[in-house]
Amino acid sequence: MSGLMEETLAGIHMDDYLVQRGKQVCIEEHRGFLGFGGSETLSGASARLYRFRLPQHYERAVAEYLAKSLDLYLPGRGFLYGQDVLLADEKAASEKFMKSLQAMAGFEIPNRMEHYELLTCIVHRGMADALLRAVLELGLCVPFVTYGRGVGLRNKLGLLRVTIPVEKEIVMLLVPERDAALAANLASHTIRLDRPGQGFIYRQSVRLYAANLRVRLGKRVHAASMEQVISALDDLRGSSEWRRFSPGSDKKKISRDRKEKSAYRCVSLVTVDGSINDFVKMTMEAGAGGATLMSISSSLPAGSQGVGDISAARESCDLIIKAELEAAICSTLAEHGFMGEKILGRIECEDVLDVMMYKGQSKEKPPA
Amino acid sequence: MNPARKKKEKKTKLPFKRSVSMIFSWAYSRIKEQVKAVLLVVGYLVVLQIFILKVPVSDALSISIGVCSTILGLALYLEGLFLGIMPLGEQLGMKLPGRGGALAFAVFAFVLGISATFAEPAIGFLQLQGGAVRAWESPLLYLLLNRGAPWLIGAIAIGVGFALVLGLFRFLHSWSFKPLVFITIPPLLALTAFFGTDANLAPVAALAWDVGGITAGPVTVPLVISLGIGMARRRGSGANGTEGLGVVTLASLFPVATVLALSAILLQFVSAVGSPSSFFAEGSRKQALFVSGSQANLRSIANDARQAGFLSVESFDAAFPLESAASDTTGPSKPQPAKGERPDSIFYRIAILSLRAILPLIAILLITLLVLLRQKVHNGDELVLGIVFAVVGMFCFSFGMEKGLTSLGAQSGKNLPRAWMSSTRGDTTIILRGIEPAMVFSAAASNGPVRYLWVEEADGPRSVPFETGNYDAAQKSYKYVPMERAVFGNLGLAGSYLAVFLIVMLLGIGVTLAEPSLRALGATIEDASTGTYRSAVLVRIAALGVGLGMAAGFAAIVFRVPLIIVLGIPYACALLLTLFSSEEFASIAWDAAGVTTGPVTVPIVIACGLGIGRESGANGAFGVVAAASVFPAVAVLLSGLIVKSRAGRSLHRGNRG
């Protein structure tokens, strides 16, 4: 799929994107031998998350283009969502890309957009299985899992820090807004947020264009798989409203209210590999609690193969901070050459609906 | 970041009790993992020896200390790898392609390869087998393991050096992996088949393939893999994390080629394979001198041969007319084994070995990074701690292996032939008193009458061969060494062979689970693939492969199957499977094959090999390491294909309609 994805992006001259390696998890059924010993295991297929920015009014057109080209409306292919971000850096999109966007905007586009929530759960490596299983068994969504390294209190400990495991697992769940509260409760329950140091969850509002519903791999016994039936019904009904888990329809309103009141922002940083640590330390001095670093890579200019002075390796981290710290953090970073040639930094600020963590701790310092 | 700010950073002080408890729980979790890995094989060896071979474990205390030291060493070493050495390799891999030309890059790779070879602790184990080789039976092998050992290691180093150059250039230019395997292996197999036709070259071919399995050990592998991962990450989205693999495969194939080449060059200088008397004869003195190195060495080999009964006194006198055999009553002149070594000199030797294994390589990496590339080391304190852990870990590990697992393995190996042969137990001698010469009776046999004596045993009297040397006429006593029946004697010969192969297979599985480089590879792959390939699964499949390979290797020794068949068939299978595998999985499988035989497996294979090989008249266990190293490739490739076909099927089903 990734080759196809890159071709598709190249088709609209999108040459500036970030790639994050991970896996999409689903439940695999094993039939066992002669009907004995059948089981269901979690099975991960390697997947990549592509991130890029574009002006909001082109979002629907590009989403439709991508979903069509990549056949994302088929179950098991992938998901596609859009999110509002505030750019705090001055990186401009290429002219070619803007031109191809303008060319696309003229077409008529069916409205398939739905309001979803992105739940990002950060837990210790290896502790996510219960969460994954619970989400999959409910058929809520297909989680996307990546690995990261935590920084936070750990880095203030000197060499004693090596005794604290850094490895984190980051689970991304895309769920319909009306089921988000249910999913969040389920997640906080399964990763035992009632205990200290288990992890934390934050919720963000996104616009979903294509969802991956393929929660199960196994023997197929009908003319169409359940996922295909569901996506056909979604199509007929025009939304996935009909398959809600939670009763009542005012959930949407509640989350909208909360969105306005949210006290948190997510500041997403990207730098060339190896330099993010210093900046994360700076943000922590400026008041951020901690972060989870991820190794990602960026697209390379056409024709380049990583030979020469250009490296595609990047590091990224999402800082969840109090809204009032945002300006201070962004300016601190800018002062220290974050956007410079050497660092190639990017800052994106996003709204956060809610942050869930162990209640015994102060909210200002979400655990890394 | 500016220095003023750096100073402002405060460290959070934790209460002493809390720090200690953190360190303890961390150490506990690390050691628990190693205990699981090591105790399996130790438990297996002890059960095997006590309950199956029915021989008590000797030196139990020193073995227990050794096993504990191995566990501690493994825990420290792996932690050192993950903390210090691998991040350093990855950082260097990411920065390296940016600076300097292709030539500088090649020089770096070559130097790294050469120093990696001198660092590998397992290479020394091969020479352990040197003692079992008889100079006249395979002069070339004898030469390479004794006087020519530095040449052998030099050839290996050049092979690894070239492998690294090619492997790192592969990353740089994204050449695919599969063609390299197809280009390298068939010619090597053809050469091996050709070598098989010459009595002098055949055992050397086995040595060459063994060397291939050993070169990529616990120091080289993590370094090379992390370098590769770094270079692959630099290339960005086109890379999928496992692209950093593949160098290990080359590093285990190229030395095979260089060792084969070296032996082809040396062949013309050494004596032909023949009887001891022809080896030492005046006519072939020049070649014999080349093999032994000097007149004195040659004489001491001849002297040993005479004392072991291979060379008659007349032939000795004919070969060395000035020095009569009768005047020489000194014992074998071989260097004494390390057993009598003083403990402090063992410490010293192993400490030097551990430092030599790690520091030069790290120095090369650091110099390249700091001086040539002018980069800052990330997390310098973690790097230093990692290096200290690695050195101390390597020390504890090597010490523990020598005192514990290897010694235990050697005991079991020595006793393994008891499984299918009746044997004497050296430690039980019974003095029978009141034996009159009249009690000895004769039985007719094709070579003349044989003398027997009736001896009362638990299940009634039994006739045992009478040996005049054991009879003391004055005391009227007879020294009787009871024969014990083969352990699996009632299974028949075929059954007992099968039982032995099963034992060896389980042993192979057990030792591989403890192999540090395989686990480092597994962890790297798991991390790079976000857990899609589980480390534990890879290690288990590779272990199964090693088990099968060891069984096949020993079967080949016992039944005298030519090497080309033992290696040719699995390599052919592996190549065929590679054809159908994905690029990604092929490199995982071949790399797994390269790393499985390391410092835990090799000494145990050799210990068993010396036991089994001696009884079946072979020169040590050459070829077993090679077999143990190709079977994992087959196993991993096969498992990959099974997974792929299952995933493919379900994807197909799901998307249809």
Side-chain angles (χ1 to χ4, degrees):
Chain A
M1 285 284 286
S2 58
L4 183 61
M5 177 73 192
E6 271 149 42
E7 273 170 36
T8 312
L9 287 176
I12 50 168
H13 301 289
M14 177 71 226
D15 56 2
D16 182 25
Y17 51 86
L18 297 168
V19 189
Q20 191 168 353
R21 292 176 45 76
K23 60 180 174 187
Q24 293 201 75
V25 185
C26 60
I27 288 180
E28 190 173 2
E29 290 167 25
H30 300 278
R31 267 171 298 166
F33 181 67
L34 294 175
F36 293 102
S39 62
E40 292 185 337
T41 52
L42 288 179
S43 132
S46 75
R48 289 170 201 195
L49 183 72
Y50 287 79
R51 288 199 308 194
F52 53 89
R53 333 156 142 179
L54 73 169
Q56 204 195 348
H57 52 280
Y58 296 122
E59 180 180 297
R60 267 177 57 196
V62 172
E64 181 64 18
Y65 166 75
L66 289 178
K68 274 270 162 63
S69 323
L70 298 166
D71 260 339
L72 290 181
Y73 297 130
L74 269 181
R77 301 279 286 181
F79 56 82
L80 179 64
Y81 69 89
Q83 189 178 8
D84 292 330
V85 296
L86 181 78
L87 304 184
D89 56 66
E90 305 96 27
K91 214 162 182 299
S94 80
E95 242 173 69
K96 268 187 175 174
F97 176 52
M98 293 309 291
K99 267 190 193 151
S100 51
L101 283 184
Q102 280 153 12
M104 263 165 47
F107 300 118
E108 195 178 314
I109 306 150
N111 187 9
R112 292 185 194 251
M113 190 268 282
E114 282 190 75
H115 288 287
Y116 264 55
E117 270 191 29
L118 171 65
L119 269 71
T120 311
C121 316
I122 298 168
V123 296
H124 287 297
R125 179 92 47 100
M127 305 301 273
D129 282 9
L131 167 65
L132 297 176
R133 201 171 268 276
V135 169
L136 286 167
E137 276 172 358
L138 268 182
L140 270 174
C141 65
V142 173
F144 178 78
V145 182
T146 58
Y147 283 174
R149 307 184 304 285
V151 275
L153 177 68
R154 186 179 185 274
N155 286 39
K156 295 179 188 157
L157 290 180
L159 261 187
L160 198 60
R161 67 174 182 274
V162 300
T163 61
I164 301 178
V166 263
E167 291 87 5
K168 305 282 175 190
E169 215 161 329
I170 301 153
V171 181
M172 292 167 64
L173 308 172
L174 275 169
V175 289
E177 213 165 43
R178 56 185 180 278
D179 293 330
L182 169 88
N185 286 337
L186 182 74
S188 74
H189 185 71
T190 47
I191 62 182
R192 305 298 308 260
L193 277 191
D194 53 333
R195 296 183 192 167
Q198 296 297 311
F200 90 122
I201 302 173
Y202 60 93
R203 296 164 62 175
Q204 288 172 298
S205 176
V206 296
R207 293 174 295 278
L208 189 95
Y209 294 94
N212 184 5
L213 291 172
R214 183 86 174 280
V215 292
R216 213 164 255 277
L217 283 181
K219 196 181 165 195
R220 189 173 144 181
V221 287
H222 299 290
S225 70
M226 187 46 75
E227 290 84 7
Q228 284 169 314
V229 175
I230 294 169
S231 75
L233 278 175
D234 278 359
D235 243 11
L236 283 175
R237 296 254 179 154
S239 83
S240 59
E241 180 70 22
W242 62 277
R243 50 182 167 92
R244 60 167 180 248
F245 281 89
S246 337
S249 55
D250 52 337
K251 283 276 168 192
K252 204 182 238 175
K253 211 176 159 200
I254 295 170
S255 71
R256 286 264 178 276
D257 292 345
R258 193 170 40 206
K259 186 178 171 185
E260 275 137 36
K261 277 190 253 155
S262 169
Y264 292 97
R265 296 277 284 170
C266 171
V267 176
S268 169
L269 308 179
V270 177
T271 67
V272 294
D273 197 281
S275 45
I276 206 162
N277 258 328
D278 292 346
F279 291 104
V280 170
K281 274 181 204 159
M282 265 176 236
T283 60
M284 278 162 61
E285 278 160 30
T292 309
L293 310 184
M294 290 168 281
S295 293
I296 60 173
S297 52
S298 84
S299 55
L300 284 172
S304 167
Q305 275 287 319
V307 190
D309 223 359
I310 312 152
S311 162
R314 299 281 185 278
E315 269 178 314
S316 88
C317 79
D318 293 341
L319 301 163
I320 306 300
I321 51 167
K322 283 208 151 183
E324 60 264 26
L325 290 173
E326 184 183 323
I329 284 181
C330 291
S331 61
T332 313
L333 290 174
E335 268 169 40
H336 290 90
F338 186 74
M339 265 74 101
E341 278 289 298
K342 263 187 156 175
I343 308 297
L344 297 173
R346 308 172 180 221
I347 311 177
E348 296 170 359
C349 305
E350 298 146 15
D351 271 327
V352 174
L353 296 178
D354 194 9
V355 176
M356 301 166 82
M357 68 187 102
Y358 174 58
K359 290 288 186 311
Q361 265 175 310
S362 132
K363 277 217 167 185
E364 272 119 286
K365 297 201 169 176
Chain B
M1 120 185 245
N2 70 43
R5 188 170 270 280
K6 206 158 199 175
K7 266 186 205 148
K8 240 178 20 185
E9 268 174 38
K10 292 191 294 262
K11 275 187 185 169
T12 307
K13 278 265 178 199
L14 283 182
F16 178 72
K17 225 172 145 183
R18 176 107 175 89
S19 319
V20 170
S21 91
M22 274 166 72
I23 292 175
F24 262 101
S25 69
W26 167 73
Y28 173 75
S29 71
R30 294 301 186 277
I31 287 180
K32 199 172 77 181
E33 249 175 79
Q34 310 311 323
V35 168
K36 270 193 222 157
V38 172
L39 273 199
L40 189 73
V41 58
V42 172
Y44 174 70
L45 279 173
V46 169
V47 168
L48 171 70
Q49 202 169 330
I50 295 179
F51 294 102
I52 299 179
L53 301 176
K54 302 209 170 79
V55 186
V57 175
S58 55
D59 299 330
L61 180 68
S62 100
I63 287 177
S64 322
I65 295 173
V67 169
C68 293
S69 170
T70 307
I71 290 171
L72 183 70
L74 269 177
L76 279 172
Y77 184 69
L78 284 174
E79 195 64 21
L81 280 187
F82 294 133
L83 263 182
I85 297 179
M86 293 183 72
L88 179 68
E90 196 175 325
Q91 193 192 350
L92 188 60
M94 249 183 299
K95 301 291 176 205
L96 199 60
R99 306 279 176 85
L103 184 69
F105 189 69
V107 169
F108 164 77
F110 195 72
V111 171
L112 190 69
I114 290 201
S115 37
T117 311
F118 290 108
E120 270 323 323
I123 287 190
F125 289 122
L126 262 189
Q127 283 169 278
L128 284 184
Q129 293 187 108
V133 177
R134 291 170 194 134
W136 55 92
E137 279 176 0
S138 30
L140 189 53
L141 185 63
Y142 185 89
L143 170 69
L144 286 178
L145 290 178
N146 294 288
R147 188 168 83 92
W151 308 340
L152 178 70
I153 294 178
I156 299 171
I158 292 173
V160 177
F162 276 121
L164 253 66
V165 173
L166 183 63
L168 296 185
F169 267 92
R170 184 180 86 83
F171 292 144
L172 210 54
H173 299 287
S174 344
W175 296 331
S176 50
F177 172 74
K178 279 157 71 173
L180 286 181
V181 179
F182 288 112
I183 295 170
T184 327
I185 293 176
L188 286 179
L189 286 177
L191 258 182
T192 308
F194 171 72
F195 272 42
T197 57
D198 185 299
N200 223 337
L201 289 175
V204 182
L207 171 74
W209 284 95
D210 277 2
V211 159
I214 293 173
T215 46
V219 188
T220 322
V221 170
L223 253 185
V224 165
I225 290 177
S226 56
L227 266 177
I229 298 271
M231 291 175 74
R233 274 197 57 201
R234 181 190 172 83
R235 224 175 33 238
S237 56
N240 55 16
T242 47
E243 274 190 0
L245 306 176
V247 186
V248 174
T249 312
L250 296 178
S252 36
L253 289 176
F254 276 39
V256 180
T258 48
V259 172
L260 288 179
L262 173 73
S263 45
I265 295 169
L266 291 178
L267 180 66
Q268 50 183 316
F269 301 110
V270 301
S271 355
V273 175
S275 67
S277 51
S278 69
F279 179 79
F280 295 108
E282 278 293 347
S284 59
R285 181 53 54 92
K286 204 177 137 206
Q287 286 91 337
L289 274 178
F290 184 76
V291 171
S292 62
S294 68
Q295 178 77 14
N297 282 349
L298 185 65
R299 210 182 78 85
S300 86
I301 302 171
N303 199 27
D304 293 343
R306 179 178 57 79
Q307 284 179 352
F310 291 111
L311 191 64
S312 64
V313 177
E314 297 77 45
S315 312
F316 185 88
D317 287 340
F320 302 95
L322 295 178
E323 311 145 70
S324 165
S327 70
D328 192 346
T329 49
T330 52
S333 47
K334 286 261 157 66
Q336 288 299 310
K339 213 167 184 179
E341 212 176 353
R342 282 174 43 206
D344 54 336
S345 71
I346 298 182
F347 283 136
Y348 180 72
R349 178 169 55 81
I350 295 180
I352 294 289
L353 187 93
S354 321
L355 287 172
R356 210 182 56 195
I358 293 162
L359 292 188
L361 278 177
I362 297 294
I364 291 179
L365 293 193
L366 276 179
I367 289 171
T368 317
L369 191 69
L370 298 176
V371 180
L372 302 180
L373 298 178
R374 310 239 169 103
Q375 294 287 329
K376 224 172 57 182
V377 176
H378 304 326
N379 295 326
D381 50 350
E382 276 183 31
L383 174 69
V384 173
L385 187 71
I387 294 172
V388 171
F389 275 2
V391 172
V392 176
M394 180 58 95
F395 173 79
C396 294
F397 171 73
S398 312
F399 176 76
M401 279 304 296
E402 190 164 318
K403 286 279 148 198
L405 262 183
T406 310
S407 143
L408 188 62
Q411 286 184 30
S412 301
K414 200 174 72 192
N415 289 314
L416 255 187
R418 298 163 55 83
W420 77 93
M421 311 176 111
S422 38
S423 54
T424 54
R425 267 175 60 172
D427 54 342
T428 45
T429 326
I430 300 169
I431 306 289
L432 305 172
R433 299 195 186 283
I435 306 289
E436 300 288 344
M439 291 166 80
V440 177
F441 65 96
S442 298
S446 55
N447 294 338
V450 184
R451 304 214 292 163
Y452 280 96
L453 183 70
W454 284 107
V455 175
E456 175 68 19
E457 286 201 349
D459 49 353
R462 204 168 90 183
S463 58
V464 298
F466 178 81
E467 281 171 38
T468 326
N470 288 348
Y471 182 62
D472 186 344
Q475 301 273 328
K476 290 193 175 166
S477 66
Y478 181 73
K479 228 195 299 174
Y480 166 52
V481 187
M483 286 294 275
E484 289 203 353
R485 296 243 314 273
V487 176
F488 298 113
N490 43 8
L491 296 179
L493 193 63
S496 49
Y497 274 143
L498 266 182
V500 171
F501 298 147
L502 192 69
I503 288 175
V504 169
M505 189 177 113
L506 292 176
L507 184 62
I509 293 176
V511 286
T512 312
L513 293 180
E515 200 60 73
S517 40
L518 181 62
R519 292 172 49 207
L521 176 75
T524 314
I525 292 176
E526 179 167 334
D527 204 57
S529 66
T530 335
T532 324
Y533 306 123
R534 297 263 173 196
S535 166
V537 175
L538 179 78
V539 171
R540 271 181 228 149
I541 294 172
L544 186 68
V546 171
L548 286 173
M550 269 175 74
F554 281 116
I557 287 186
V558 171
F559 299 121
R560 312 221 160 190
V561 181
L563 178 76
I564 183 65
I565 294 179
V566 186
L567 293 186
I569 294 174
Y571 268 109
C573 289
L575 285 178
L576 192 71
L577 290 171
T578 307
L579 206 58
F580 298 108
S581 299
S582 65
E583 178 85 6
E584 198 178 6
F585 224 91
S587 55
I588 292 180
W590 283 98
D591 269 18
V595 304
T596 43
T597 40
V600 184
T601 319
V602 173
I604 294 206
V605 167
I606 289 177
C608 293
L610 289 177
I612 294 181
R614 194 177 44 232
E615 296 305 331
S616 31
N619 272 334
F622 295 100
V624 179
V625 174
S629 135
V630 54
F631 275 72
V634 180
V636 176
L637 282 168
L638 206 58
S639 77
L641 280 183
I642 292 172
V643 169
K644 193 172 131 190
S645 87
R646 229 176 25 204
R649 238 178 14 228
S650 51
L651 195 73
H652 190 61
R653 269 197 219 117
N655 281 343
R656 201 166 33 196

